[in-house]
Amino acid sequence: MQIIVVGLDHHTSPVEVRERLAFRPSQLPPAFEQLRGIRGGLIQEAAILSTCNRVEVYAVAADARAAQCAIVDFLHEFHHLEPHSVADALFAYTGPRAVEHLFSTACGLNSLVVGEPQIQTQVRAAAEAAATSKALGPALHALFRQAVEVGKRARTETSISRHAASVSHAGVELARRHIGTLADARVLLVGSGKMSELSAKNLLDNGARSITLVNRTVENAQLLADRWGGQALPFDLLPTALRETDVVLSSTSAPHTVIHAEHVREALADRPGRPLLLIDLAVPRDVDADVALVDGAHVYDIDDLDQVVSANVLRRRDEVGAVEAIVAEEMTRFLAWLSARAVVPTLNRLRAQADSIGRDELAKALRRLPGLDERDREVVELMVSGIVNKLLHQPTVRLKHEAAQGDAQAYTEALQFLFGLDGSVHGA
């Protein structure tokens, strides 16, 4: 039994290739059905990890090489592509390399932005989708479960995800640095596009409780406000909203500035002693340059945030070695479990054979001793059971030990041959 992964990601292919192989959620059930039907059950277990930056098919099969080729064919056939048209973009890993790849991916080491936390949720969702389609067997279930735990360890024990590495994250981090805690801060989002949505989520994740949204189309702002539990206001109330605000994050698509010095000056005049932090995420800028000259106003634009992001990406990369050490440790644990699991069928057959022989010999002995009372019969039965258990103890312990060291195959084959568990010897 081998674990295999075949796929592609942003390292091996551009987005126009990745999107051709991407799986929508509705496509996963038929995809798993097709995978299970390949060559009469060649693929025993399967899971698909499909995100904007990667498409990876994980599988368990006895014949790794045949399974890899079959998955490559499956990807082309399922997505109606010319045979081998994207084969050059695909990678294929088997055994320990496949395990290491998933663990590293779950930690964010293979992400476009190193350490990004979303991939951990995506790994968990991939396992759940496979389980729903009954494609996830014991090996992949254990692999994905441990991958999620490896990701948690990396984020808990290192700083791989602690420094903002996107503009929206950096804006929120900057706000938190300025005012200490977001729990009591009143936050104003200007604009209701994707950047505002990401900012709203990051703000809430960092403790913000009061979010107000201002947008030219108030219905769009209301949709976002309903989603995140905030308040929506029409755009003409922006100057009024500034008076009640501690932090402004602005990301409209306006071709000109929308927050002017007079707005900020009037807002601050009504609240002496309370500064106003304005974070401009828009290009072109939303906040007029003169705002920075207003006493009590602190303005940061996209270039300031890019500098924060660049510095933080370098800080995250400094953590890669520590995360790789966690991956190596967890990979050793998983491979030991997988190897031990591989010898279980042989040990079960050995146990079944020994128990059968013990029962047969016990029955013969009891027929020769018809006068035994119940207590004596129990003594004989316990003796036979004890002999079987003691004879099996050492081979069981030692084979499991060798499996944990990765050296069980030769011993397993020898045990199967010597005891006739491979079918070469019949009878007892």
Side-chain angles (χ1 to χ4, degrees):
M1 179 185 69
Q2 293 267 23
I3 293 176
I4 306 130
V5 58
V6 176
L8 77 177
D9 60 18
H10 61 95
H11 293 111
T12 66
S13 59
V15 64
E16 56 266 25
V17 175
R18 300 197 302 273
E19 65 188 8
R20 295 168 71 189
L21 292 179
F23 289 87
R24 298 188 302 275
S26 62
Q27 291 179 305
L28 291 175
F32 288 126
E33 185 176 354
Q34 187 171 327
L35 280 167
R36 287 197 299 266
I38 291 175
R39 301 184 194 174
L42 170 67
I43 293 174
Q44 301 164 18
E45 305 179 29
I48 297 173
L49 177 59
S50 182
T51 73
C52 58
N53 286 324
R54 71 188 67 257
V55 177
E56 298 174 354
V57 178
Y58 290 82
V60 170
D63 188 335
R65 180 60 184 162
Q68 287 177 5
C69 295
I71 292 171
V72 172
D73 292 341
F74 154 75
L75 288 169
H76 286 88
E77 292 170 7
F78 189 87
H79 293 290
H80 308 291
L81 303 175
E82 290 295 320
H84 301 288
S85 60
V86 298
D88 290 344
L90 296 171
F91 55 76
Y93 305 133
T94 301
R97 184 68 184 88
V99 174
E100 179 187 31
H101 179 78
L102 181 59
F103 286 3
S104 296
T105 296
C107 293
L109 294 184
N110 297 328
S111 294
L112 185 62
V113 177
V114 173
E116 59 91 6
Q118 288 82 5
I119 186 61
Q120 190 172 352
T121 300
Q122 291 163 339
V123 169
R124 183 186 293 108
E128 291 172 352
T132 299
S133 292
K134 295 183 170 49
L136 200 72
L140 288 188
H141 174 76
L143 175 68
F144 274 74
R145 180 184 61 201
Q146 191 159 339
V148 172
E149 293 303 315
V150 175
K152 287 181 181 177
R153 273 197 67 189
R155 289 170 177 84
T156 300
E157 298 176 21
T158 76
S159 298
I160 193 71
S161 298
R162 289 179 195 164
H163 309 296
S166 69
V167 168
S168 62
H169 277 84
V172 175
E173 183 175 289
L174 198 58
R176 195 174 63 245
R177 285 184 194 170
H178 260 265
I179 61 179
T181 175
L182 295 174
D184 300 319
R186 285 168 286 190
V187 180
L188 175 66
L189 298 180
V190 183
S192 60
K194 186 64 177 177
M195 190 68 75
S196 287
E197 185 172 358
L198 290 172
S199 297
K201 184 179 186 306
N202 292 332
L203 285 164
L204 291 170
D205 288 344
N206 282 274
R209 298 175 187 170
S210 174
I211 297 178
T212 300
L213 294 99
V214 171
N215 193 56
R216 291 197 182 277
T217 306
V218 72
E219 291 80 10
N220 292 343
Q222 190 63 57
L223 287 173
L224 193 58
D226 291 343
R227 187 179 310 164
W228 301 114
Q231 176 188 12
L233 296 175
F235 199 81
D236 57 5
L237 291 181
L238 173 58
T240 303
L242 288 173
R243 296 173 186 170
E244 304 299 325
T245 298
D246 299 302
V247 180
V248 179
L249 284 91
S250 189
S251 58
T252 75
S253 55
H256 49 72
T257 58
V258 298
I259 300 176
H260 305 293
E262 61 267 25
H263 297 153
V264 175
R265 192 176 292 109
E266 291 172 4
L268 290 173
D270 289 343
R271 39 183 279 184
R274 276 181 54 207
L276 178 62
L277 173 64
L278 299 103
I279 301 173
D280 190 349
L281 304 176
V283 178
R285 289 179 293 175
D286 281 342
V287 180
D288 193 90
D290 290 344
V291 172
L293 303 177
V294 177
D295 287 340
H298 305 278
V299 181
Y300 295 87
D301 62 20
I302 197 74
D303 287 343
D304 298 318
L305 296 178
D306 279 341
Q307 292 175 18
V308 173
V309 168
S310 297
N312 284 345
V313 167
L314 292 176
R315 292 168 72 187
R316 284 189 177 195
R317 287 177 180 163
D318 288 341
E319 298 294 314
V320 167
V323 174
E324 288 176 339
I326 291 173
V327 168
E329 179 185 332
E330 294 289 343
M331 191 175 77
T332 299
R333 286 182 53 209
F334 178 80
L335 292 174
W337 173 86
L338 191 65
S339 296
R341 185 177 178 276
V343 304
V344 169
T346 294
L347 291 173
N348 286 343
R349 289 198 297 274
L350 179 62
R351 163 63 67 177
Q353 183 188 84
D355 285 342
S356 176
I357 292 171
R359 286 193 302 270
D360 290 345
E361 294 304 313
L362 175 62
K364 291 178 186 177
L366 292 177
R367 283 197 296 271
R368 297 190 188 103
L369 301 168
L372 292 180
D373 59 25
E374 190 65 30
R375 182 180 178 282
D376 290 337
R377 287 174 62 91
E378 184 177 339
V379 170
V380 174
E381 290 171 358
L382 289 173
M383 179 187 68
V384 172
S385 176
I387 292 172
V388 169
N389 288 336
K390 288 190 176 182
L391 283 173
L392 295 182
H393 178 72
Q394 283 297 335
T396 298
V397 170
R398 291 190 174 184
L399 187 57
K400 286 184 175 180
H401 174 77
E402 294 302 322
Q405 307 305 310
D407 299 322
Q409 184 173 351
Y411 292 100
T412 301
E413 291 174 354
L415 195 66
Q416 291 172 347
F417 175 76
L418 291 172
F419 286 88
L421 305 176
D422 58 356
S424 61
V425 178
H426 300 280

